[in-house]
Amino acid sequence: AQSVTQPDIHITVSEGASLELRCNYSYGATPYLFWYVQSPGQGLQLLLKYFSGDTLVQGIKGFEAEFKRSQSSFNLRKPSVHWSDAAEYFCAVAIPGFQKLVFGTGTRLLVSP
Amino acid sequence: GAGVSQSPRYKVAKRGQDVALRCDPISGHVSLFWYQQALGQGPEFLTYFQNEAQLDKSGLPSDRFFAERPEGSVSTLKIQRTQQEDSAVYLCASRYSQGATNEKLFFGSGTQLSVL
């Protein structure tokens, strides 16, 4: 069965600094890949997704992610973090033709002044 | 409505009680999902509906969990004889199409269930 690993439970970044959140998946072929953000008391919001083609995908709020097949990774990046980016970030995969998403355990981002 | 609506926002139940959680998806959305999110964990799939048909219930943890969507719009997740391990946030999500796994899912804010 497919699985998603987010090795960092918490990350603290200074406001204005760059950010990279790690995500690795386990699946024999290339799944569909997603990053979601969850703020306290809010639903999950889609930041970006990868299906095929260009391995660098752009998302909302200045986020981007790069798919690396050789490393089975889909890391999320942002060049300059804002205090409002503090939230929980979830990587997820979906197998083409199947409906459910499989989520990682999440990374909580803290932004220091 | 503007988004996926879930009610109640919070639910406290005594162990052994039955609970019903409601989800109003975005109007016209064919696909509807339920996920369970335990504290400190990512959401885990429970079940999937396409219109009124429950096509996948492989994630339901026990026969105490039951979901329905009788008219293909509003859905209810029912948990019978609640146990402490059922304490979690229950998330509902909907999607316009039926088969496009790559299409955007819209999530509700969830119902936080606490079983005492």
Side-chain angles (χ1 to χ4, degrees), chain A residues 46-107:
Chain A
L46 180 66
L47 287 176
L48 46 77
K49 55 188 178 182
Y50 172 80
F51 305 135
S52 64
D54 192 347
T55 56
L56 184 64
V57 294
Q58 302 298 320
I60 63 171
K61 303 185 179 185
F63 286 92
E64 66 178 26
E66 185 173 13
F67 168 61
K68 292 185 177 180
R69 186 189 307 274
S70 61
Q71 299 177 18
S72 296
S73 69
F74 189 56
N75 294 350
L76 182 71
R77 301 195 295 246
K78 186 170 185 178
S80 178
V81 168
H82 188 262
W83 63 267
S84 60
D85 293 325
E88 187 97 25
Y89 290 80
F90 292 94
C91 181
V93 302
I95 305 304
F98 290 84
Q99 299 301 322
K100 69 178 183 181
L101 287 175
V102 176
F103 287 85
T105 52
T107 298

Side-chain angles (χ1 to χ4, degrees), chain A residues 38 43 51 90 98-99 101, chain B residues 9 35 37 42 95 101-102 108:
Chain A
Q38 186 178 41
F51 305 135
F90 292 94
F98 290 84
Q99 299 301 322
L101 287 175
Chain B
R9 183 70 182 90
Y35 285 83
Q37 187 176 17
R95 185 175 67 210
T101 314
N102 54 2

Side-chain angles (χ1 to χ4, degrees), chain A residues 19-62:
Chain A
L19 168 71
E20 182 169 25
L21 302 182
R22 296 183 290 167
C23 172
N24 292 92
Y25 66 89
S26 173
Y27 178 60
T30 300
Y32 297 146
L33 296 158
F34 306 81
W35 275 99
Y36 282 85
V37 61
Q38 186 178 41
S39 299
Q42 303 295 314
L44 290 155
Q45 182 182 22
L46 180 66
L47 287 176
L48 46 77
K49 55 188 178 182
Y50 172 80
F51 305 135
S52 64
D54 192 347
T55 56
L56 184 64
V57 294
Q58 302 298 320
I60 63 171
K61 303 185 179 185

